[in-house]
Amino acid sequence: MILLDRVTKKYKKKSGVAIERINLHVESKEFVVIVGPSGAGKSTLLKLLTREEKPTSGKIVVGGIDYERLRDKDIPYLRRKIGVVFQDFKLLPNRTVFENVAFALEIVGMGNKEIKHTVPKVLDIVGLKGKGQSYPIELSGGERQRVAIARAIVRQPKILIADEPTGNLDPKHAWDVIRVLEKINKYGTTVILTTHNKEIVDKLKRRVVTIKDGKVVGDKARSVYS
Ligand code: ADP
């Protein structure tokens, strides 16, 4: 599903490397937790996957798409395969929960009738049935993050990238979000999660990839934070 072969990223010619010769293979339907200190290169790795950044060298293949052959006009298609959620939710404040999720479908040209059918189903998956008419400000942080997840999965991406999704949440709400990620993974979506939360990593017991100074220094199945 995801293959990185000796991927290096240098932001500027004279600066150091953000990521150095990383090799990583993630199978379809895996749940992978990426950990590492601040500045280790985790965000850079995710930005390379979403094509926000291009590697300086190395090969990236995601869902059969070789990024070297990717043309600019293929990028919207790629982004449909990859859903992303961020620490700060990035919801539209003056739109309802329903509208926030529907927006992701409107921009790909889905008709109103289908949108009305699809959005409630996704809100149900993330445990927000009945909250469609609420505005983000009326929700808890955990609920807001679950709206962001609903928006990220509504187009049924093959991969969901969650970059510190629990960073702004208290433990209870953090777990609500993690449980939703587990559920989505169980339904067949590959999940890539970055987190600093040791307790979450330890309880999840999933594959843990540790990055330090731009390199993979640990990669273990059913592991804990180290
Ligand atoms: P993490 O997500 O693990 O905190 P990052 O991927 O954000 O790490 O950063 C890795 C390294 O790349 C750091 O040294 C950081 O300063 C550098 N870096 C990140 N983004 C940029 C950028 N846009 N321009 C220049 N350097 C960057």
Side-chain angles (χ1 to χ4, degrees):
M1 177 56 67
I2 297 174
L3 182 79
L4 277 79
D5 183 16
R6 286 164 290 172
V7 171
T8 294
K9 172 67 183 175
K10 241 179 158 184
Y11 282 97
K12 293 189 197 100
K13 278 214 168 85
K14 285 182 184 161
S15 65
V17 286
I19 280 210
E20 194 173 4
R21 290 174 74 87
I22 281 202
N23 295 313
L24 185 68
H25 181 209
V26 178
E27 301 261 7
S28 177
K29 300 176 188 174
E30 258 194 282
F31 191 126
V32 182
V33 189
I34 298 181
V35 301
S38 196
K42 303 181 296 296
S43 302
T44 300
L45 176 64
L46 301 184
K47 284 180 188 157
L48 291 169
L49 294 177
T50 56
R51 200 56 169 177
E52 259 177 85
E53 294 288 348
K54 290 183 182 177
T56 310
S57 61
K59 191 179 180 68
I60 303 176
V61 184
V62 176
I65 304 172
D66 182 341
Y67 283 17
E68 247 161 22
R69 301 216 185 102
L70 201 64
R71 292 158 299 183
D72 284 347
K73 71 175 176 63
D74 300 325
I75 289 179
Y77 170 73
L78 174 77
R79 299 254 159 91
R80 265 180 245 178
K81 288 194 172 218
I82 307 177
V84 188
V85 294
F86 306 92
Q87 181 168 352
D88 58 358
F89 323 135
K90 298 196 196 298
L91 299 176
L92 300 167
N94 50 3
R95 301 216 186 189
T96 64
V97 167
F98 181 96
E99 289 164 348
N100 264 280
V101 179
F103 188 61
L105 298 174
E106 283 162 17
I107 58 176
V108 293
M110 190 185 271
N112 258 338
K113 203 173 153 201
E114 211 181 336
I115 289 177
K116 281 201 177 114
H117 178 72
T118 307
V119 173
K121 281 208 256 180
V122 178
L123 289 178
D124 194 14
I125 291 172
V126 301
L128 290 176
K129 204 175 173 179
K131 292 275 184 187
Q133 296 316 309
S134 302
Y135 283 86
I137 197 158
E138 299 170 317
L139 305 177
S140 71
E143 288 171 331
R144 284 181 211 177
Q145 189 58 289
R146 286 184 280 137
V147 177
I149 293 173
R151 183 183 54 188
I153 62 166
V154 71
R155 294 188 306 215
Q156 299 184 303
K158 298 268 181 268
I159 301 166
L160 179 64
I161 291 178
D163 191 5
E164 283 281 351
T166 61
N168 285 335
L169 306 178
D170 60 42
K172 184 198 170 297
H173 288 118
W175 274 108
D176 289 343
V177 166
I178 296 297
R179 295 289 175 232
V180 168
L181 295 180
E182 288 196 294
K183 186 166 163 186
I184 291 162
N185 177 247
K186 212 169 91 190
Y187 289 164
T189 305
T190 308
V191 175
I192 311 283
L193 164 71
T194 71
T195 182
H196 278 110
N197 190 316
K198 181 179 182 320
E199 194 199 318
I200 286 176
V201 179
D202 292 353
K203 280 199 186 153
L204 266 174
K205 294 193 183 65
R206 298 289 190 151
R207 177 177 172 193
V208 177
V209 173
T210 309
I211 298 185
K212 209 177 157 197
D213 298 331
K215 298 190 185 95
V216 173
V217 295
D219 187 349
K220 281 191 205 141
R222 291 184 296 282
S223 191
V224 293
Y225 202 103
S226 55

